Amino acid sequence: MVKSFRIPNKNGEELCVVVQGNEKAASTILFVQGFGISLAENSLFGDLCTAFEKDCALVSFDFAGYGASEGKQEDVSLDTEAGDLEAVLR
């Protein structure tokens, strides 16, 4: 089952987070795409999710300014992306 929801980052922008796989599993895998792309552009995640969905909870998200998350790409930096990652980890 795939669930998506939104969480705020430290700038108040809503980040799109997707959880799938076995939510009751003892292990969780957090997928973080490369700088400058969205979940939809990263086809590798789909293959990895298929491989691990029975044994792990799988979490992925769009950084602010990309994909289904709020924000502007011109405001993105490594610091803002580190803040987004921190928000998702919490």
Side-chain angles (χ1 to χ4, degrees):
M1 180 186 319
V2 177
K3 295 180 185 179
S4 65
F5 57 94
R6 302 177 80 69
I7 62 167
N9 65 11
K10 66 181 179 180
N11 297 321
E13 298 160 322
E14 295 286 318
L15 304 177
C16 178
V17 179
V18 176
V19 178
Q20 62 190 84
N22 182 353
E23 292 183 45
K24 296 180 181 182
S27 299
T28 299
I29 299 173
L30 174 63
F31 294 100
V32 181
Q33 74 274 6
F35 187 75
I37 63 172
S38 70
L39 291 175
E41 297 172 303
N42 193 341
S43 61
L44 177 62
F45 286 177
D47 294 339
L48 289 171
C49 287
T50 300
F52 292 105
E53 68 186 353
K54 292 180 184 174
D55 300 318
C56 300
L58 309 167
V59 179
S60 54
F61 69 100
D62 279 322
F63 285 108
Y66 292 93
S69 290
E70 293 180 345
K72 298 178 183 175
Q73 287 183 7
E74 58 266 21
D75 296 334
V76 173
S77 69
L78 291 176
D79 287 335
T80 62
E81 288 196 342
D84 290 352
L85 178 58
E86 182 180 358
V88 172
L89 289 170
R90 286 187 181 174

